[in-house]
Amino acid sequence: MPRRHSLSLTPELVALCDRSVTDSGPDPRYVQLTDAEVAAKAAEIDRDAGEQLWLFAYGSLIWKPEFEAVETVRATAHGWHRSFSMELPRWRGSPEQPGQMMVIERGGTCHGVALRMPDKDRQQQLFRMLYREAEYQGDLDNTRWLKVETDRGRLRALAFWAAPTPGFPFLKLPPEETARRIASACGHLGSNAAYLYNTIVKLEEFGIHDRNLWRLQELVAEEIRLLANSTSIPSPND
């Protein structure tokens, strides 16, 4: 389905946010996961999944999965909604300018994509996926099996950062403040604005028009223009 509107957040504006940022490294306040802990969780998920393993993608997994999906279908998780409420002092943000990442929280409806993982080497694929999504002890508690509706019927799919547990830097901010953070934040994996842009573009390719994200990208575009005019965004060449 073609996009119904033109994005305010353009590739040119997103490019203004990109800059070289040194990885600040793990947060010393938290205990890092060991390989053994990640491997044990991968084995548990593989065991629970049954014959097929589906993942529910609502954010970056849609446009940057750690595997080549053998099936991809639109999916709807009832009773959940996207929320830009996880603070990012690393990855796509920095301690000086934290960004925001999406999670899914209780209430509402979340339209996303279900991806089926290849059957071969599932535990190893899961190991890589878990390392991408979790770094500290407690992170793995934020995985959850969801029932999602698709054109091929109801599927049981694994979701990351669903109903996040307490103890992590979660923020409930007004959209305008969230937009200011996204427009300013960049980490060693790229800018927060690129994260938002890529997610919206991919959702629209699947015919999913998220009104909240659409409004947010308009606000982020406005913020980037303001920052660029005030020269507050460092040049990509700096």
Side-chain angles (χ1 to χ4, degrees), residues 13-78:
L13 287 175
V14 171
L16 292 175
C17 303
D18 194 26
R19 55 190 182 272
S20 178
V21 176
T22 302
D23 184 5
S24 58
D27 192 323
R29 295 175 297 172
Y30 303 115
V31 178
Q32 286 190 281
L33 288 163
T34 66
D35 286 358
E37 289 170 324
V38 177
K41 186 65 175 182
E44 175 192 321
I45 293 172
D46 186 46
R47 212 167 36 244
D48 291 346
E51 185 177 345
Q52 296 182 344
L53 201 164
W54 290 86
L55 289 95
F56 180 63
Y58 58 88
S60 61
L61 279 181
I62 302 174
W63 48 271
K64 193 177 180 182
E66 291 295 321
F67 59 91
E68 188 171 342
V70 294
E71 289 186 74
T72 305
V73 294
R74 272 188 61 164
T76 301
H78 294 290

Side-chain angles (χ1 to χ4, degrees), residues 173-184:
L173 300 173
E176 293 77 12
E177 179 59 29
T178 298
R180 281 191 284 272
R181 282 173 165 254
I182 292 173
S184 301

Side-chain angles (χ1 to χ4, degrees), residues 96-116:
E96 296 76 25
Q97 289 184 315
Q100 296 290 108
M101 188 183 89
M102 280 185 285
V103 302
I104 51 174
E105 298 190 52
R106 296 285 189 181
T109 300
C110 183
H111 299 285
V113 179
L115 310 170
R116 184 160 78 85

